[in-house]
């Protein structure tokens, strides 16, 4: 029995191996004793397992698999139920042992028998639960089925589907209330009501046109102008917030001589990230949820003014940069699920680029696209000038880069910058340049909670914000 356990299980069952062993013994006895009947028995014992092996590979049972995640996508550390429905589509019968292949981070793969005891209509249903402490996209499956021939002699294992992708989004942290909305008030609803119900002193009027209802006539304005005037319908606007999410490799590399760590393999590749970048992702998700709950429309950009999720493999619409409502927040969460660090993955190249900021290398590891915090970003911000706050979630930033970003504060009703780094004290010069430009800026380590970092912005800035008229586009950018 111990010898049978050492034999490969993917070809024959123990019964099949036993029959082959009996065939070998019969063949030896036929040779020693010269008995033809033993030779015939030996041939039968050899041929039957081999014919079974060939038959089970030529006539394979066919299955259909339907997989459902509930909820999908799921937040980090939250459980999700995986429901499987497996149906046999061929005419073959018999039992099979099935296994759902899972990424190693989810532990042991669940196994089950087909058909199940509760099978109905030829379909067996199964359920198991998963939980991931890390964001990303993970392939669940495929389901592999191991089945035998009708005689139970040979085995065959095959994948019966291609698996499905489970998206795990970063969970938002509840943030404290801060006075971030500037002239618009503390939430979008209040601002909308003010604009939707103007007083008689600031109401917009125009000349009466044929077909205008008489109930819209503004009699005070009619008396002033000496002609019939009607109330001008003013469109109700939604407050907007711009979030700048830095995801440059060099900004989250942790310092000279170190490199970001790769998350667990997903679909055969490693997601490039780091502890500081994971903090930034949670911060971006939390800020987005905080503002969306207050009826803000959101616009997410990267450090170069491009859509923040242009290179995220999990983004439903990578080129989209404006989001609103619950569906927009869900799209942001999915886009953040697999976002990773981008740009040159060599710190020497990044250091050289920073030293000659604004210049392009003619060879080596060149970073595509415009330099960070340049006119491209300023153009995007100026297109939505003073419509709401500008919030930047940044990694390691040099004083020169901070000087380039500083004028962006003039394009928002308020400007907030969070720099996350392992050694926050090293970035005081950069923070001072941001504050001089009108930003409320703070540097934190990844050990500080996102809520605590956000709460720092409820304090008055050290330097008064400059008037918007004094902001010159592209000011402070080194050439």
């Amino acid at each position: 029995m111990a010898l049978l356990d050492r034999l490969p299980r993917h070809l024959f069952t123990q019964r099949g191996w036993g029959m082959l062993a009996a065939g070998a013994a019969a063949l030896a006895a036929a040779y020693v004793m010269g008995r033809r009947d033993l030779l015939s028995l030996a041939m039968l014992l050899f041929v039957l397992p081999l014919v079974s092996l060939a038959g089970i590979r030529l006539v394979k049972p066919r299955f259909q698999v339907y997989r459902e995640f509930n909820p999908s996508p799921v937040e980090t550390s939250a459980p999700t139920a995986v429901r499987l429905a497996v149906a046999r589509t061929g005419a073959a019968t018999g039992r099979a042992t099935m296994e759902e292949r899972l990424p190693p981070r989810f532990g042991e793969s669940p196994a089950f028998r087909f058909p199940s005891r509760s099978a109905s209509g030829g379909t067996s249903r199964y359920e198991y639960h998963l939980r991931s402490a890390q964001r990303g996209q993970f392939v669940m499956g495929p389901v592999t089925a191991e089945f035998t021939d009708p005689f139970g002699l040979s085995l065959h294992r095959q994948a019966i589907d291609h698996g499905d992708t489970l998206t795990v989004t970063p969970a938002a942290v509840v943030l404290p209330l801060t006075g971030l909305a500037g002239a618009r008030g503390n939430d979008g609803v209040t601002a909308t009501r003010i604009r939707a119900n103007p007083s008689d002193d600031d109401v917009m009027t125009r000349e009466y046109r044929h077909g205008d209802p008489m109930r819209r006539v503004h009699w005070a304005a009619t008396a002033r102008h000496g002609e019939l005037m009607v109330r001008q319908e003013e469109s109700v606007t939604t407050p907007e917030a711009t979030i700048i999410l830095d995801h440059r490799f060099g900004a989250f590399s942790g310092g000279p001589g170190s490199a970001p760590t790769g998350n667990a393999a997903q679909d055969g590749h490693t997601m490039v990230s780091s502890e500081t970048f994971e903090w930034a992702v949670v911060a971006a998700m939390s800020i987005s949820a905080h503002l969306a709950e207050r009826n803000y429309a959101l616009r997410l950009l990267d450090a170069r003014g491009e859509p923040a999720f242009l290179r995220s493999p999990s983004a439903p619409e990578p080129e989209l940069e404006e989001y609103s409502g619950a569906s927009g927040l869900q799209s942001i969460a999915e886009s953040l699920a697999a976002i990773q660090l981008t740009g040159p993955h060599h710190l020497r190249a990044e250091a050289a680029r920073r030293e000659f900021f604004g210049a392009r290398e003619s060879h080596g590891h060149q970073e595509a696209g415009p330099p960070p915090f340049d006119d491209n970003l300023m153009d995007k911000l100026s297109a939505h000038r003073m419509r709401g706050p500008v919030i930047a979630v940044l990694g390691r930033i040099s004083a020169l880069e901070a000087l380039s970003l500083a004028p962006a504060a003039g394009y928002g009703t308020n400007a907030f910058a969070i720099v996350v780094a392992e050694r926050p004290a090293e970035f005081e010069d950069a923070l001072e340049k941001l504050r001089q430009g009108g930003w409320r800026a703070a540097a934190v380590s990844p050990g500080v909670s996102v809520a605590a970092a956000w709460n720092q912005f409820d304090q008055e800035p050290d330097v008064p914000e400059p008037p918007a008229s004094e902001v010159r586009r592209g000011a402070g950018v080194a050439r």
Side-chain angles (χ1 to χ4, degrees):
M1 200 63 168
L3 179 61
L4 291 177
D5 292 336
R6 297 180 182 179
L7 296 173
R9 291 290 310 275
H10 64 280
L11 295 176
F12 301 102
T13 62
Q14 289 188 353
R15 182 185 299 176
W17 285 115
M19 186 170 289
L20 289 174
L27 181 62
Y31 177 77
V32 172
M33 301 174 63
R35 299 282 300 271
R36 300 191 62 175
D37 54 344
L38 288 177
L39 180 61
S40 300
L41 177 61
M43 292 299 102
L44 177 64
L45 294 175
F46 274 127
V47 169
L48 192 56
L50 295 176
V51 170
S52 299
L53 182 64
I56 201 172
R57 279 161 172 73
L58 293 175
V59 185
K60 295 179 288 189
R62 296 182 180 180
F63 299 89
Q64 280 188 339
V65 178
Y66 174 76
R67 186 182 287 100
E68 180 185 35
F69 303 110
N70 185 31
S72 177
V74 62
E75 292 184 347
T76 52
S77 301
T80 184
V82 185
R83 298 189 178 101
L84 288 172
V86 183
R88 195 196 302 268
T89 59
T93 60
R95 291 186 171 274
T97 301
M98 297 188 174
E99 181 180 81
E100 171 88 300
R101 291 184 180 176
L102 302 180
R105 68 168 42 256
F106 292 100
E108 187 177 355
S109 298
F112 42 89
R113 293 280 185 178
F114 180 88
S116 65
R117 294 181 179 178
S118 58
S120 60
T123 301
S124 297
R125 291 176 171 81
Y126 313 91
E127 181 176 323
Y128 62 95
H129 295 81
L130 296 175
R131 189 190 303 265
S132 175
Q134 189 175 25
R135 65 182 178 90
Q137 287 186 305
F138 307 95
V139 175
M140 301 295 122
V143 173
T144 59
E146 183 180 81
F147 41 87
T148 66
D149 63 280
F151 300 102
L153 300 178
S154 59
L155 285 172
H156 181 63
R157 177 186 288 266
Q158 71 176 43
I160 59 176
D161 79 318
H162 300 289
D164 291 294
T165 300
L166 173 65
T167 300
V168 181
T169 64
V173 176
V174 177
L175 301 181
L177 294 176
T178 57
L180 60 81
R184 288 188 177 270
N186 288 329
D187 60 66
V189 175
T190 303
T192 300
R193 287 175 180 168
I194 292 174
R195 294 186 63 91
N197 299 282
S199 66
D200 288 338
D201 294 330
D202 59 8
V203 68
M204 300 291 292
T205 59
R206 60 171 174 80
E207 295 180 358
Y208 175 84
R209 297 171 187 167
H210 180 70
D212 286 335
M214 293 301 294
R215 56 184 167 81
R216 286 179 53 194
V217 173
H218 192 275
W219 298 109
T222 298
R224 286 197 304 267
H225 292 274
E227 58 181 329
L228 207 58
M229 304 292 290
V230 296
R231 294 178 183 272
Q232 172 71 51
E233 291 290 343
E234 183 180 7
S235 61
V236 179
T237 60
T238 301
E240 299 177 0
T242 299
I243 300 174
I244 302 171
L245 176 60
D246 191 1
H247 50 68
R248 296 170 297 148
F249 182 95
F252 293 93
S253 58
S258 63
T261 58
N263 291 348
Q266 304 169 50
D267 300 336
H269 70 276
T270 300
M271 188 169 68
V272 182
S273 184
S274 66
E275 183 182 6
T276 52
F277 184 61
E278 291 301 310
W279 192 99
V281 169
V282 174
M285 183 70 246
S286 303
I287 295 170
S288 298
H290 181 79
L291 296 176
E293 289 174 357
R294 286 150 184 83
N295 302 311
Y296 275 83
L298 303 174
R299 188 168 59 140
L300 281 92
L301 304 172
D302 66 9
R304 294 172 177 82
E306 297 177 338
F309 307 127
L310 189 60
R311 297 172 183 84
S312 173
S314 61
E317 298 178 86
E319 297 182 356
L320 190 65
E321 61 183 43
E322 297 184 9
Y323 304 86
S324 61
S327 60
L329 184 61
Q330 183 62 41
S331 182
I332 291 174
E334 292 184 38
S335 300
L336 287 170
I339 192 172
Q340 57 183 332
L341 298 174
T342 59
H345 289 197
H346 298 270
L347 296 181
R348 287 185 179 180
E350 178 68 11
R353 191 196 61 74
R354 292 185 181 215
E355 183 178 353
F356 302 99
F357 186 75
R360 300 296 186 87
E361 296 88 349
S362 59
H363 62 279
H365 297 280
Q366 178 175 328
E367 189 166 0
F373 316 124
D374 202 5
D375 283 350
N376 190 52
L377 175 62
M378 299 301 167
D379 287 339
K380 288 290 186 71
L381 295 176
S382 64
H384 292 244
R385 188 188 188 101
M386 304 304 289
R387 295 187 184 178
V390 177
I391 303 159
V393 182
L394 309 170
R396 297 167 63 244
I397 182 172
S398 66
L400 193 57
E401 290 170 340
L403 187 63
S404 301
L405 178 61
Y411 296 118
T413 56
N414 268 322
F416 305 87
I418 304 176
V419 176
V420 54
E422 293 290 347
R423 293 181 289 274
E426 297 179 358
F427 299 92
E428 280 303 318
D429 290 344
L431 294 179
E432 184 60 28
K433 286 180 169 51
L434 289 175
R435 290 168 184 149
Q436 289 175 357
W439 291 82
R440 300 187 189 185
V444 297
S445 70
V448 175
S449 70
V450 176
W454 181 255
N455 198 43
Q456 296 185 35
F457 296 131
D458 206 22
Q459 304 171 5
E460 291 297 324
D462 297 333
V463 179
E465 297 184 15
S469 59
E470 296 181 5
V471 178
R472 292 180 292 108
R473 189 176 67 186
V477 179
R479 299 293 184 187

